[in-house]
Amino acid sequence: MTFTDLIPAAESAEWNSAARFTLDAGTRIDARPGTEHVARWLRGTVGAATGLPLADGDSGPHRIVLSVGPDVGRELGAEGYRLAVTGGEPAVTIEGGGPAGVFWGAQTLRQLLGPEAFRRAPLSQDRDWHLPMGTLQDRPRFGWRGLMLDVARHFMPKDGVLRYLDLLAAHKLNVFHFHLTDDQGWRVEIKRRPRLTDVGSWRARTKWGHRASALWDEKPHGGYYTQDDIREIVAYAAERHITVVPEIDVPGHSQAAIAAYPELGNTDVIDTSSLTVWDTWGINPNVLAPTDNTLRFYEDVFEELLALFPSPFIHVGGDECLKDQWRESPTAQALIRERGLAGEDGLQSWFIRHFDTWLTARGRRLIGWDEILEGGLAPGAAVSSWRGYAGGVAAARAGHDVVMCPEQHVYLDHRQAAGEDEPMPIGYVRTLEDVYRFEPVPAQLTEEEAAHVLGTQANVWTEVMQDSSRVDYQVFPRLAAFAEVAWSALPPSAERDFAGFERRMAGHYRRLDALGVAYRPPGGPLPWQRRPGPDGTSAGLGRPIEGTPPNV
């Protein structure tokens, strides 16, 4: 393993391919102020994999020194770091611009030890653990390097979420966008509104495959995270320098909440008491009623959420809000007239602006999908640009911060190849190379406008991912390519060395194997990863879209 085998690629490195430093039972960790948690992480991961104690120690030749350096911070930023393996006194140093930089340097150290360093116990007590001699300097291109995981469509138990936080950290990703609510399930305990989980976290059955499929999984599906589960997840993420951004989707994608509390829906249009947690997929017409009762209800929800999530950003969804019920609702139409709003788009803007003001007053920032631009957006709000680049371009030009996550490029639920054996194929083909050539910053932005691009994020919607192995298959290996796009200062898209990346992936697949990731192999799905549904057929399970996706 060498510096050139790293994923994501480092900014610069010099190394001696013939020289090695060997970790042994005498290797100690000298953790300077602010790096104690990194030392704890190294003992828990690298120590477990190697069987070495990696004890505390501030003297001796075999030390790994962890420190925060102001000079590094000024030059490389808080997440930048320098790593040196000299074999001298000390043998290894990791100096970060901040504690996060030290942690990312420790992740690089783990990669340099080889794939076996990603296991949970040593394969042999006699194995030697070597590091290549050299120096490395590294820093991220973007401050927001994220993965959005939808746990509303298919619930992922807490242990699976903690595992994904480890996988994000291993790829130097630092934002976990937690999609907690949707029509098909409410996944976070709200003590003042217990029916959200008592009723809203379970559905009676589930559509198997795309919504056009004729197949059903007749088992009830659901689950939720208690508030203590959330505290654990947030603390676990913080130890890995990952910010957890929660999403509570409003005013659309809300049928699970309406099923639990029918008064939240448009009762003057439909009988909301007859609604259940939705068991199929698509865009749901049952949206929240724009009433004071709804606002007070969700203020209660967000009040408890703020106590659980320290993230500066709170995601409010705002996407795919069908407005047919508002058009038919006397209550909604009266509010539009009373407030002088620009129709139903203006009504959604009023709804989003209310929570923008509410969150701002509590020291947080609202972020939502790019539909929140429709009807006008409050000055401090940020935008997740998912329908393409256009929403992000418009937002940046209007002075709003943007996270680029266009579905045509980084929706990892979209299929990875055109083969008929891909499991439940959705959307356009987005290969490993396609993701590697994704460019988050649109060329049409000026330098000043581009400064509003906080970073980028890959999204994983789980309608057709019924368990963690399906999530793994869709996410990996493409998340490795995405991580390099988000972290490394790559050339323009067409000039990127994908062949070189593939060569480095040969070693990275071994790391993923050691981590137990059920990724899609380069040669295509394994027999147990292929398409068949519960009845052994494959008809109608997916929704593939042919051709090249539009660059919008």
Side-chain angles (χ1 to χ4, degrees), residues 480-498:
F482 173 80
E484 185 149 309
V485 168
W487 176 276
S488 305
L490 297 177
S493 178
E495 299 172 23
R496 293 177 189 171
D497 181 11
F498 179 68

Side-chain angles (χ1 to χ4, degrees), residues 37-49:
H37 72 286
V38 181
R40 185 164 59 247
W41 178 84
L42 275 169
R43 290 188 193 98
T45 53
V46 173

Side-chain angles (χ1 to χ4, degrees), residues 273-293:
S273 64
S274 66
L275 296 177
T276 60
V277 178
W278 212 26
D279 55 13
T280 189
W281 322 121
I283 303 177
N284 192 303
N286 296 305
V287 302
L288 296 174
T291 64
D292 284 344
N293 175 67

Side-chain angles (χ1 to χ4, degrees), residues 118-428:
F118 287 78
R119 295 190 178 274
R120 297 190 182 185
L123 302 184
S124 169
Q125 298 299 326
D126 300 326
R127 142 115 207 217
D128 289 330
W129 295 91
H130 302 296
L131 288 170
M133 297 282 200
T135 59
L136 179 150
Q137 176 173 293
D138 205 6
R139 59 181 153 185
R141 179 184 179 192
F142 294 109
W144 184 302
R145 308 180 303 280
L147 177 76
M148 188 228 69
L149 181 63
D150 164 22
V151 296
R153 273 49 177 271
H154 277 101
F155 180 65
M156 180 177 284
K158 180 192 70 177
D159 285 353
V161 173
L162 298 177
R163 172 177 175 264
Y164 257 80
L165 291 171
D166 280 329
L167 292 172
L168 264 65
H171 291 82
K172 297 186 174 74
L173 298 174
N174 68 345
V175 175
F176 180 61
H177 176 168
F178 209 6
H179 184 80
L180 288 164
T181 72
D182 218 294
D183 300 302
Q184 296 86 0
W186 186 284
R187 304 294 179 218
V188 57
E189 177 187 27
I190 303 297
K191 293 184 182 294
R192 275 177 276 187
R193 306 293 184 176
R195 286 176 59 84
L196 286 171
T197 46
D198 290 349
V199 174
S201 69
W202 287 90
R203 58 180 181 262
R205 64 176 187 168
T206 299
K207 174 67 71 172
W208 185 272
H210 182 252
R211 62 181 176 271
S213 163
L215 302 178
W216 294 87
D217 182 344
E218 297 291 346
K219 298 190 300 293
H221 178 85
Y224 67 92
Y225 309 104
T226 67
Q227 294 200 354
D228 280 346
D229 290 337
I230 294 292
R231 292 185 183 97
E232 180 183 356
I233 288 167
V234 169
Y236 194 84
E239 283 278 313
R240 287 147 183 80
H241 293 277
I242 296 170
T243 299
V244 182
V245 177
E247 180 183 352
I248 302 294
D249 211 339
V250 296
H253 287 292
S254 296
Q255 184 161 318
I258 297 169
Y261 291 92
E263 65 271 21
L264 295 174
N266 294 283
T267 57
D268 55 351
V269 176
I270 64 164
D271 176 13
T272 57
S273 64
S274 66
L275 296 177
T276 60
V277 178
W278 212 26
D279 55 13
T280 189
W281 322 121
I283 303 177
N284 192 303
N286 296 305
V287 302
L288 296 174
T291 64
D292 284 344
N293 175 67
T294 300
L295 297 181
R296 300 294 87 76
F297 183 100
Y298 275 88
E299 286 172 2
D300 284 350
V301 169
F302 284 117
E303 194 77 58
E304 293 193 26
L305 210 71
L306 297 189
L308 296 172
F309 294 94
S311 165
F313 287 96
I314 303 296
H315 208 290
V316 300
D319 62 316
E320 298 180 329
C321 179
L322 296 180
K323 300 175 176 66
D324 295 344
Q325 290 183 358
W326 289 352
R327 292 186 184 95
E328 298 175 25
S329 165
T331 301
Q333 292 302 312
L335 182 61
I336 289 171
R337 290 191 299 272
E338 175 189 332
R339 299 271 178 173
L341 302 176
E344 289 75 28
D345 284 347
L347 185 56
Q348 174 162 337
S349 176
W350 168 84
F351 197 102
I352 296 298
R353 280 174 177 265
H354 173 86
F355 286 104
D356 179 80
T357 301
W358 190 92
L359 288 167
T360 299
R362 288 155 181 80
R364 308 297 182 94
R365 290 184 66 187
L366 179 145
I367 186 169
W369 303 112
D370 55 56
E371 287 96 329
I372 67 173
L373 289 164
E374 297 165 5
L377 186 58
V383 170
S384 300
S385 186
W386 77 272
R387 290 181 294 179
Y389 287 113
V393 169
R397 286 177 172 168
H400 296 288
D401 287 339
V402 177
V403 175
M404 284 293 183
C405 48
E407 64 172 328
Q408 301 87 354
H409 301 274
V410 288
Y411 266 35
L412 301 185
D413 42 298
H414 287 199
R415 59 193 174 135
Q416 303 182 65
E420 293 185 359
D421 55 358
E422 290 297 317
M424 297 189 193
I426 300 296
Y428 293 101

Side-chain angles (χ1 to χ4, degrees), residues 142 391-404 440-455:
F142 294 109
V393 169
R397 286 177 172 168
H400 296 288
D401 287 339
V402 177
V403 175
M404 284 293 183
V441 180
Q444 61 265 48
L445 293 181
T446 66
E447 185 175 347
E448 182 180 358
E449 292 164 348
H452 284 291
V453 178
L454 300 175

Side-chain angles (χ1 to χ4, degrees), residues 1-8 10 13-15 19-21 23 41-42 46 50 81-86 92-94 104-118 127-138 170 172 507-508 511:
M1 195 63 58
T2 69
F3 286 127
T4 57
D5 292 324
L6 298 175
I7 289 180
E14 295 180 5
W15 55 281
R20 294 285 186 272
F21 166 70
L23 276 67
W41 178 84
L42 275 169
V46 173
T50 61
Y81 66 92
R82 292 195 182 105
L83 185 153
V85 182
T86 66
V92 181
T93 60
I94 301 175
W104 303 130
Q107 291 285 356
T108 296
L109 180 76
R110 187 188 191 190
Q111 285 200 23
L112 292 172
L113 285 168
E116 290 80 6
F118 287 78
R127 142 115 207 217
D128 289 330
W129 295 91
H130 302 296
L131 288 170
M133 297 282 200
T135 59
L136 179 150
Q137 176 173 293
D138 205 6
K172 297 186 174 74
H508 198 65
R511 297 181 191 122

